[in-house]
């Protein structure tokens, strides 16, 4: 198989999976609204396209199954049968099997027609299709083929990544030219360089846009997932999806897929109460799960909010102390938001016995690590008895990020704005020692300070060592795990978009940096890994306390 054939097959698989997700989601919605003609028409159209496309790829098992289901929805559309009763179970069985076949599409041994299932699906239809229906099918097939083979051109992500890297180098050279033009004080050269500046920006923007997809491809999976989990738990859940047209980098969307499913399971199983418990507390019998995506300041925010029992911060602190994960003194120092962050500690659970379904907390450390690995952030917000929200802040792109630049000693560093809370120039009297920590009093909060000079460069770092004789101390305040940390820097620079490249040896195993970028001066700038810095700081802090 040539590379081009491999690319075409990959595109076919992606489109088939997307169509399947839409069919699955549509049928779940149809179960709630059986007479919705628009939904029925959409499902029929998708099944018809699935049949035609898989037949063209000689995937007979999927094509035969899609054809049988298509006949059922043709009959439903023509009001010959209704979508209810035992019919629903058989149709869901058919959809499940279709998902199985698509998942194992590269396994020829598993691509077998399930004759028993096909017979059951065919049995749903009371009357044979008429000649008129067959004519309509031929017409729709002709129409759908025109729609399917659109004027779009496919390209692999690797090629886009290569182009993006080249644009990054072009931008670095462009910035150097700008400096030369300013030094030469030549208006004509400056005008030409301005044109290059503008074109390079547009190329970068175009390539980044080509990598974006809407989150709808992920959201389409959720109605079926929520239905299945809620059914097994004996609960009624109203799922509300908002912002499905929000765009995000393909790779970021791929990474967060399992994370979202875990949070949804967590919300349905542990967050939302049983119908009896909800009635006891005067709540509606049907629980509400709202999943919302928005774009804000160069980030994508995806939140899951349930109207369940909420999470009690004091109960989390007590459990953490009982498990000796933190000291009693440490527990007293944590505010409610910081206490919720303890749920991200490895192995932490609110249940007394750890099982797959033990309680809120199980697996959240893995969720957090996944979000950290792509430079995102995850926060928990909760009101006891009312609701819980998991709010993910995600980069739109993994390669290009807006960042704050600063200097420590003679080296340049950057922090992605996604991790940034604010910047502050502190006076000496705002900083003091407390229980071995260096603390900043900031807006009625006590924020632990990390003296980056020693933290990054000293072989035996001591966060308490800082030159407090300086009248003004620049501090970059960052977020991690529902907690703020102040990074003491030597000189603040500016905000700008940076192209992040992976670390090369011997720095590739460093936990402190997530990558490097080149500044317009040609100097190297290290991108700090805020998650790793916070974890290392907390481990050092724990060593002191225990």
């Amino acid at each position: 198989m040539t590379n081009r054939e491999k690319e075409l097959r990959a595109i076919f698989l992606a489109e088939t999976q997307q169509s399947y997700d839409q069919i699955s989601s549509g049928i779940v919605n149809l179960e709630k609204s059986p007479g919705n003609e628009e939904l029925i028409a959409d499902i029929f159209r998708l099944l018809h396209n699935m049949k035609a496309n898989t037949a063209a790829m000689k995937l007979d098992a999927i094509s035969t199954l899609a054809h049988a289901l298509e006949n059922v929805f043709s009959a439903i559309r023509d009001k010959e049968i209704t979508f209810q009763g035992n019919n629903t179970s058989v149709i869901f069985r058919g959809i499940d099997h279709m998902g199985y076949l698509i998942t194992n599409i590269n396994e020829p041994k598993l691509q077998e027609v399930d004759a028993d299932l096909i017979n059951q699906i065919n049995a749903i239809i009371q009357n044979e299709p008429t000649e008129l229906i067959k004519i309509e099918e031929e017409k729709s097939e002709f129409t759908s083929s025109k729609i399917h083979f659109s004027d779009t051109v496919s390209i692999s992500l690797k090629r886009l990544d290569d182009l993006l890297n080249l644009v990054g180098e072009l931008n670095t050279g462009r910035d150097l030219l700008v400096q030369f033009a300013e030094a030469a004080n030549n208006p004509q050269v400056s005008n030409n360089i301005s044109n290059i500046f503008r074109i390079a920006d547009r190329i970068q923007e175009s390539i980044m846009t080509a990598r974006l997809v809407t989150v709808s491809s992920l959201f389409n999976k959720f109605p079926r997932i929520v239905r299945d989990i809620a059914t097994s738990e004996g609960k009624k859940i109203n799922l509300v999806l908002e912002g499905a047209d929000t765009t995000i980098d393909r790779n970021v969307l791929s990474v967060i897929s399992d994370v979202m499913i875990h949070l949804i399971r967590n919300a349905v199983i542990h967050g939302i109460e049983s119908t009896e418990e909800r009635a006891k507390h005067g709540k509606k019998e049907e629980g509400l799960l709202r999943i919302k995506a928005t774009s804000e300041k160069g980030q994508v925010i995806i939140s899951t909010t349930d109207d369940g029992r909420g999470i009690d911060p004091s109960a989390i602190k007590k459990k953490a102390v009982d498990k000796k994960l933190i000291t009693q003194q440490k527990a007293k120092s944590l505010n409610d938001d910081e206490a919720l962050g303890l749920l991200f500690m490895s192995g932490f659970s609110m249940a007394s016995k750890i099982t797959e379904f033990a309680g809120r907390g199980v697996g959240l450390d893995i969720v957090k690590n996944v979000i950290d690995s792509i430079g995102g952030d995850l926060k928990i917000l909760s009101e006891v008895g009312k609701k819980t929200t998991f709010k993910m802040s995600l980069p739109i792109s993994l390669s290009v990020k807006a960042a704050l630049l600063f200097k420590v000693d003679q080296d340049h560093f950057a922090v992605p704005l996604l991790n940034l809370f604010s910047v502050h120039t502190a006076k000496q009297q705002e900083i003091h020692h407390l229980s071995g920590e260096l603390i900043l009093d900031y807006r009625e909060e006590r924020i632990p300070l990390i003296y980056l000079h020693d933290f990054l460069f000293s072989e035996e770092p001591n966060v308490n060592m800082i030159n407090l004789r300086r009248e003004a101390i620049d501090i970059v305040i960052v977020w991690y795990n529902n907690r703020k940390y102040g990074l003491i820097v030597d000189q603040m620079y500016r905000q700008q978009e940076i192209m992040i490249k992976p670390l090369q040896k011997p720095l590739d195993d460093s936990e402190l940096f997530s990558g490097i970028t080149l500044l317009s001066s040609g100097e190297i700038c290290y991108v700090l890994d805020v998650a790793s810095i916070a974890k290392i700081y907390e481990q050092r802090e724990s060593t002191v306390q225990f």
Side-chain angles (χ1 to χ4, degrees):
M1 187 180 289
T2 66
N3 288 335
R4 183 57 183 161
E5 288 172 337
K6 288 179 181 176
E7 283 185 22
L8 288 174
R9 187 169 179 80
I11 292 167
F12 165 76
L13 290 175
E15 291 180 348
T16 301
Q17 183 64 52
Q18 185 176 3
S19 295
Y20 170 74
D21 291 339
Q22 290 174 331
I23 293 169
S24 181
S25 173
I27 290 178
V28 172
N29 290 330
L30 189 62
E31 191 180 30
K32 298 177 182 176
S33 178
N36 190 321
E37 294 183 358
E38 187 177 348
L39 268 178
I40 294 169
D42 280 345
I43 295 167
F44 174 81
R45 176 181 56 79
L46 289 164
L47 285 168
H48 184 80
N49 287 345
M50 178 76 77
K51 178 189 72 173
N53 293 339
T54 51
M57 296 294 287
K58 301 188 183 307
L59 295 166
D60 295 336
I62 302 176
S63 179
T64 302
L65 180 55
H67 180 61
L69 288 167
E70 178 196 14
N71 284 339
V72 171
F73 277 88
S74 172
I76 294 173
R77 183 191 59 180
D78 295 340
K79 303 187 187 309
E80 295 169 358
I81 59 173
T82 56
F83 182 78
Q84 62 180 12
N86 292 333
N87 293 351
T88 311
S89 302
V90 176
I91 290 171
F92 272 117
R93 269 199 61 202
I95 295 300
D96 286 342
H97 191 61
M98 182 180 286
Y100 168 80
L101 292 172
I102 291 172
T103 302
N104 296 288
I105 214 162
N106 290 320
E107 297 290 339
K109 292 181 180 178
L110 301 179
Q111 300 298 312
E112 294 183 357
V113 176
D114 186 334
D116 179 58
L117 178 58
I118 298 295
N119 288 336
Q120 289 185 49
I121 294 172
N122 289 337
I124 294 175
I125 306 173
Q126 298 298 319
N127 302 310
E128 291 296 325
T130 65
E131 193 64 25
L132 176 62
I133 293 175
K134 291 179 180 177
I135 293 170
E136 287 175 349
E137 287 176 355
E138 290 169 3
K139 285 180 179 177
S140 62
E141 187 170 4
F142 176 74
T143 305
S144 65
S145 65
K146 279 190 173 180
I147 294 171
H148 183 69
F149 296 103
S150 64
D151 57 352
T152 56
V153 175
S154 61
I155 184 170
S156 70
L157 288 178
K158 185 178 181 307
R159 291 186 183 182
L160 286 176
D161 285 339
D162 291 343
L163 282 172
L164 202 56
N165 283 330
L166 289 172
V167 170
E169 294 178 18
L170 175 65
N171 285 343
T172 301
R174 173 201 65 185
D175 293 341
L176 283 171
L177 283 176
V178 171
Q179 293 181 14
F180 285 135
E182 289 175 350
N185 195 23
N186 186 322
Q188 188 174 359
V189 173
S190 295
N191 286 337
N192 289 332
I193 291 177
S194 294
N195 284 333
I196 294 173
F197 199 102
R198 178 177 53 79
I199 292 169
D201 270 354
R202 290 185 62 181
I203 293 173
Q204 178 177 311
E205 184 180 347
S206 297
I207 295 173
M208 288 181 64
T209 302
R211 293 180 56 91
L212 300 182
V213 294
T214 66
V215 297
S216 61
S217 56
L218 179 60
F219 278 20
N220 284 333
K221 300 176 187 289
F222 297 156
R224 179 64 191 275
I225 291 170
V226 171
R227 175 196 178 275
D228 289 351
I229 300 173
T231 301
S232 67
E233 292 292 311
K235 296 178 180 178
K236 294 181 179 178
I237 308 290
N238 178 26
L239 174 65
V240 176
L241 299 173
E242 297 178 356
D245 58 347
T246 304
T247 54
I248 193 170
D249 188 284
R250 287 174 186 269
N251 286 344
V252 177
L253 191 69
S254 172
V255 168
I256 67 169
S257 176
D258 290 342
V259 165
M260 290 295 301
I261 292 171
H262 185 91
L263 293 179
I264 289 171
R265 286 171 57 86
N266 206 310
V268 176
I269 295 174
H270 304 297
I272 296 176
E273 313 92 329
S274 64
T275 53
E276 295 80 10
E277 189 178 347
R278 292 180 67 85
K280 185 179 175 182
H281 291 91
K283 292 184 173 181
K284 289 182 179 177
E285 187 180 78
E286 185 181 60
L288 175 65
L289 177 59
R290 186 185 301 277
I291 302 175
K292 182 178 180 181
T294 58
S295 295
E296 297 178 13
K297 300 177 182 177
Q299 306 169 20
V300 172
I301 311 295
I302 299 180
S303 61
T304 63
T305 302
D306 67 70
D307 68 343
R309 56 177 65 91
I311 308 172
D312 184 358
S314 60
I316 295 173
K317 287 195 279 189
K318 183 177 183 307
K319 179 67 73 174
V321 172
D322 291 345
K323 287 177 171 288
K324 297 183 178 179
L325 295 173
I326 60 172
T327 63
Q328 188 71 44
Q329 183 183 16
K330 177 71 176 178
K332 288 180 180 177
S333 72
L334 299 178
N335 61 34
D336 286 353
D337 286 341
E338 292 169 342
L340 290 172
L342 294 174
L343 287 173
F344 295 132
M345 297 181 76
S346 179
F348 186 85
S349 171
M350 291 302 293
S352 56
K353 185 179 179 181
I354 302 296
T355 68
E356 182 186 0
F357 307 107
R360 284 212 144 167
V362 170
L364 284 182
D365 57 325
I366 299 172
V367 169
K368 185 75 172 102
N369 288 338
V370 171
I371 301 298
D372 290 346
S373 70
I374 56 174
D377 190 31
L378 178 63
K379 294 188 181 74
I380 308 175
L381 309 166
S382 186
E383 293 181 49
V384 178
K386 293 184 177 179
K387 63 180 179 180
T388 299
T389 296
F390 286 84
K391 183 178 178 181
M392 283 188 287
S393 302
L394 304 165
I396 289 182
S397 167
L398 293 180
S399 301
V400 180
K401 295 178 182 173
L404 174 69
L405 274 54
F406 53 84
K407 203 169 180 179
V408 177
D409 202 358
Q410 298 303 313
D411 293 301
H412 300 273
F413 297 93
V415 166
L417 293 190
L418 196 146
N419 301 115
L420 181 69
F421 177 75
S422 68
V423 295
H424 179 64
T425 300
K427 298 177 181 175
Q428 289 183 20
Q429 54 268 34
E430 295 178 76
I431 297 175
H432 57 89
H433 290 89
L434 180 66
S435 302
E437 287 186 275
L438 204 60
I439 298 294
L440 168 69
D441 288 328
Y442 180 74
R443 297 178 185 174
E444 301 181 351
E445 284 189 80
R446 289 181 171 178
I447 299 174
L449 290 175
I450 300 173
Y451 184 35
L452 278 185
H453 187 281
D454 282 358
F455 196 85
L456 297 174
F457 302 127
S458 175
E459 292 184 358
E460 295 181 2
N462 184 340
V463 296
N464 295 327
M465 293 291 292
I466 177 175
N467 181 5
L468 287 173
R469 286 177 296 181
R470 282 189 288 178
E471 291 186 359
I473 301 168
D474 287 334
I475 298 173
V476 177
I477 301 175
V478 294
W479 269 104
Y480 181 71
N481 245 13
N482 277 35
R483 195 179 189 194
K484 300 184 188 79
Y485 298 87
L487 308 179
I488 299 175
V489 306
D490 289 338
Q491 186 178 356
M492 211 79 77
Y493 271 173
R494 62 185 179 276
Q495 293 182 13
Q496 74 172 60
E497 281 199 340
I498 58 173
M499 181 80 70
I500 300 176
K501 293 178 177 294
L503 292 167
Q504 303 293 324
K505 290 183 178 180
L507 293 174
D508 56 341
D509 60 347
S510 172
E511 296 179 352
L512 297 173
F513 311 117
S514 59
I516 60 170
T517 188
L518 280 178
L519 301 179
S520 58
S521 60
E523 295 173 287
I524 290 176
C525 176
Y526 300 91
V527 183
L528 294 182
D529 187 325
V530 172
S532 291
I533 287 176
K535 288 176 183 175
I536 293 171
Y537 174 79
E538 293 292 349
Q539 288 168 0
R540 290 174 180 174
E541 184 186 30
S542 298
T543 302
V544 173
Q545 290 194 352
F546 283 106

